[in-house]
Amino acid sequence: MERPEAYGLPAAISGTFLLSCLLFWELSRQQRAPYMDETFHVPQAQAYCQGRFGQWDPMITTLPGLYLMSVGIVKPAVWLFGWSGNVVCSTGMLRFINLLFSVGNFYLLYLLICQIHHNNKTVSGFQRILSTLTLALFPTLYFFTFLYYTDTGSVFFTLFEYLMCLYGNHKTSALLGFCGFMFRQTNIIWTVFCGGSVVAQQLNEAWKTDSRKKKEESISAMRGSFSELIRGLQFLTEYIMSLKNLVTLIILAWPYILLVIVFFAFVLINGGIVVGDRSSHEACFHFPQLFYFFSFTLFFSFPHLISPNKIGNFLRSVWKHLIQYSILIAISLFLVWKFTYVHKYLIADNRHYTFYVWRKVFQRHDLVKYIFVPAYIFAGWSLSDSLKSKSIFWNLVYFVCVFAVTVPQKLLEFRYFILPFLIFRLNIAVPPLSRLLLELALYVVVNAVTFHLFLNKTFQWPHTEEIQRFMW
């Protein structure tokens, strides 16, 4: 780390933390009582603080990682500072734990950017810090830093798991993956991603060796093409048909495989992935969720994904592969037609942004959901084009994991897109300063609007005096 970077990183972390503390104070001052899902999380954590570990709210659907971690942080602090009474495990104290997680996330994002792009000597320290600052302020994640939700801690352990995977500490990575799983069960998908990325690296090296032996054209010359995908899948099939190769892959990824086995044992014993209330969290094949994620990522990464050059390349790709794109459009239209689901929460709770997106956009007309299909395809193409520096096997692992973490979800919820977005954004080439500044400006504006609406544009439902607020 260069000297300016050594000073710049602590300054960025400290400045962000100070700003967050000011926002935290204002939000906690105006919304002292638990809000939304906090009405379940806070009492559960307080029960654990009082030693009642057998008590469980059946409305909670995640494992108790957040509450156990909270007790592990608060109890030593109580002993160290001599706190007592209402301060111990109060709503404000529990919320502050996520603020601490956010500092950890900031540093983990920086280390991940350094590790993923360590071979790129053209990236300056200022670019790394600015890219980290931007991701730390990613609106959907940053907002939930100030409430007692599972998102910030879930992201912390998953990013930590990914970092240890990149460092080659796979046992530690799997252990951190277990911690992430205890915060949110779907984080097992990112354990699969970590194990899959290890396997992908081995496959890519074997493919390069095989290509050199056959004196075929270089892989990089074909990168991003349909033929590369077909050849990659053929090579994968042939490779794993060898017992020796299969054993090699298992040995490489065994800590992650072990954790996946533990996950399936949990599902078998629990009778499903969800704990507590399962009626509102039933799995289904909600294929348009993948399209919503592409659109979400296109919006929050538009400085990197939308440009005249990108659009031109996309149109040339469509012209060159007209039949393939026609088939893709037909399949997408069919998936939108047959597999669009509307969760009861989506249309019943007007406190969430998704309520207004659905009502103001998708419910305008029955044809609206079909009109967006070309935009979905462009968004998906732009995402994959931005990841073309990664191997075909890495891309295959990533998009399979994105599919697994989004499609089974019936509810359209932007929080579900946080981790797949961060993994994507970390792995694209570090953008130039102009695009980073534009992205940062977008995030600052969205955050400012979000907090303004939450704090100042309150409303009330009929027949209740409780104050309601807009949020993600």
Side-chain angles (χ1 to χ4, degrees):
M1 185 184 294
E2 300 175 359
R3 178 169 291 184
E5 194 172 358
Y7 291 123
L9 180 64
I13 294 177
S14 302
T16 305
F17 182 67
L18 177 60
L19 171 66
S20 298
C21 286
L22 294 174
L23 278 172
F24 179 84
W25 178 83
E26 180 62 20
L27 187 144
S28 296
R29 185 181 68 84
Q30 292 202 33
Q31 182 63 47
R32 296 182 181 275
Y35 186 68
M36 289 290 290
D37 289 3
E38 284 187 320
T39 57
F40 307 115
H41 294 311
V42 170
Q44 185 62 53
Q46 290 172 341
Y48 275 34
C49 279
Q50 296 167 9
R52 302 198 306 271
F53 294 101
Q55 179 178 325
W56 185 258
D57 187 336
M59 293 300 294
I60 296 174
T61 59
T62 54
L63 290 168
L66 176 62
Y67 321 124
L68 293 171
M69 183 62 63
S70 300
V71 172
I73 294 174
V74 171
K75 286 295 186 179
V78 168
W79 174 80
L80 185 63
F81 297 107
W83 292 332
S84 61
N86 295 331
V87 175
V88 180
C89 279
S90 63
T91 302
M93 178 62 68
L94 293 172
R95 287 173 177 171
F96 191 77
I97 290 170
N98 276 341
L99 207 59
L100 298 178
F101 273 131
S102 72
V103 177
N105 285 336
F106 195 115
Y107 190 54
L108 287 172
L109 288 167
Y110 172 78
L111 293 177
L112 282 164
I113 289 172
C114 291
Q115 181 64 21
I116 292 170
H117 303 286
H118 69 277
N119 289 328
N120 189 349
K121 304 303 180 182
T122 63
V123 178
S124 67
F126 184 69
Q127 279 178 281
R128 287 192 288 266
I129 293 174
L130 187 59
S131 190
T132 304
L133 174 63
T134 302
L135 291 180
L137 295 178
F138 175 53
T140 313
L141 173 62
Y142 188 64
F143 176 82
F144 288 102
T145 296
F146 303 92
L147 296 175
Y148 191 60
Y149 274 57
T150 59
D151 300 271
T152 313
S154 168
V155 168
F156 174 83
F157 283 108
T158 303
L159 291 180
F160 206 169
E161 173 189 20
Y162 186 30
L163 181 66
M164 290 299 104
C165 174
L166 294 177
Y167 283 165
N169 300 329
H170 300 301
K171 295 177 185 177
T172 304
S173 177
L175 181 60
L176 291 165
F178 176 76
C179 295
F181 166 71
M182 289 295 291
F183 271 69
R184 185 170 290 170
Q185 292 91 307
T186 53
N187 285 341
I188 194 67
I189 301 299
W190 301 111
T191 296
V192 173
F193 169 77
C194 289
S197 63
V198 175
V199 170
Q201 184 177 1
Q202 175 70 17
L203 288 171
N204 195 50
E205 292 173 358
W207 194 22
K208 287 180 179 178
T209 302
D210 184 68
S211 296
R212 282 195 294 267
K213 287 180 180 179
K214 295 178 180 179
K215 297 182 179 180
E216 295 179 353
E217 60 182 315
S218 66
I219 295 174
S220 60
M222 299 180 60
R223 185 143 288 154
S225 65
F226 284 104
S227 57
E228 183 199 18
L229 176 61
I230 300 301
R231 288 182 64 250
L233 290 173
Q234 289 175 344
F235 177 81
L236 174 61
T237 303
E238 294 170 2
Y239 189 87
I240 62 176
M241 289 299 290
S242 166
L243 181 60
K244 179 182 177 181
N245 292 338
L246 191 60
V247 170
T248 300
L249 296 181
I250 292 173
I251 292 174
L252 282 172
W254 74 263
Y256 307 104
I257 294 172
L258 181 61
L259 184 53
V260 171
I261 292 172
V262 170
F263 166 75
F264 281 115
F266 159 77
V267 172
L268 186 64
I269 295 171
N270 186 57
I273 296 177
V274 176
V275 299
D277 179 29
R278 300 176 184 175
S279 61
S280 301
H281 297 274
E282 297 174 351
C284 63
F285 288 107
H286 193 180
F287 291 101
Q289 285 277 33
L290 195 60
F291 303 147
Y292 304 150
F293 169 70
F294 290 159
S295 305
F296 175 89
T297 304
L298 187 70
F299 175 79
F300 281 108
S301 291
F302 85 87
H304 322 309
L305 300 183
I306 302 178
S307 68
N309 186 49
K310 280 261 190 183
I311 295 172
N313 289 339
F314 172 69
L315 294 176
R316 283 189 288 273
S317 177
V318 171
W319 180 255
K320 185 178 179 180
H321 305 283
L322 193 58
I323 295 176
Q324 291 94 326
Y325 277 100
S326 298
I327 295 173
L328 184 58
I329 288 176
I331 293 173
S332 300
L333 289 170
F334 174 78
L335 293 177
V336 170
W337 174 42
K338 283 294 187 180
F339 295 97
T340 296
Y341 295 97
V342 183
H343 197 284
K344 61 183 181 181
Y345 288 171
L346 180 61
I347 57 176
D349 195 336
N350 65 345
R351 294 171 293 183
H352 292 290
Y353 294 162
T354 47
F355 171 89
Y356 298 96
V357 170
W358 195 261
R359 192 181 71 172
K360 299 290 185 180
V361 179
F362 289 94
Q363 286 189 332
R364 285 281 184 180
H365 194 278
D366 288 340
L367 294 178
V368 169
K369 58 185 178 183
Y370 302 108
I371 293 173
F372 286 118
V373 165
Y376 296 151
I377 292 175
F378 169 73
W381 175 88
S382 189
L383 262 69
S384 61
D385 183 67
S386 297
L387 293 169
K388 62 185 178 184
S389 62
K390 315 296 287 189
S391 73
I392 184 64
F393 303 108
W394 188 97
N395 274 274
L396 189 61
V397 169
Y398 172 72
F399 282 106
V400 165
C401 289
V402 169
F403 180 93
V405 84
T406 58
V407 169
Q409 305 280 2
K410 188 175 182 179
L411 176 62
L412 173 57
E413 171 68 82
F414 290 144
R415 290 188 298 136
Y416 300 156
F417 299 155
I418 292 174
L419 277 168
F421 173 86
L422 289 177
I423 299 296
F424 162 78
R425 180 59 182 76
L426 285 166
N427 281 280
I428 66 173
V430 177
L433 287 177
S434 57
R435 293 182 183 178
L436 281 173
L437 290 171
L438 182 58
E439 184 182 36
L440 178 60
L442 170 67
Y443 289 6
V444 169
V445 169
V446 172
N447 279 326
V449 171
T450 301
F451 284 105
H452 171 69
L453 292 175
F454 184 84
L455 295 172
N456 302 319
K457 298 297 181 180
T458 59
F459 63 100
Q460 288 180 284
W461 285 339
H463 313 300
T464 179
E465 295 182 358
E466 185 179 356
I467 297 296
Q468 308 299 334
R469 301 177 185 273
F470 297 109
M471 60 185 292
W472 286 103

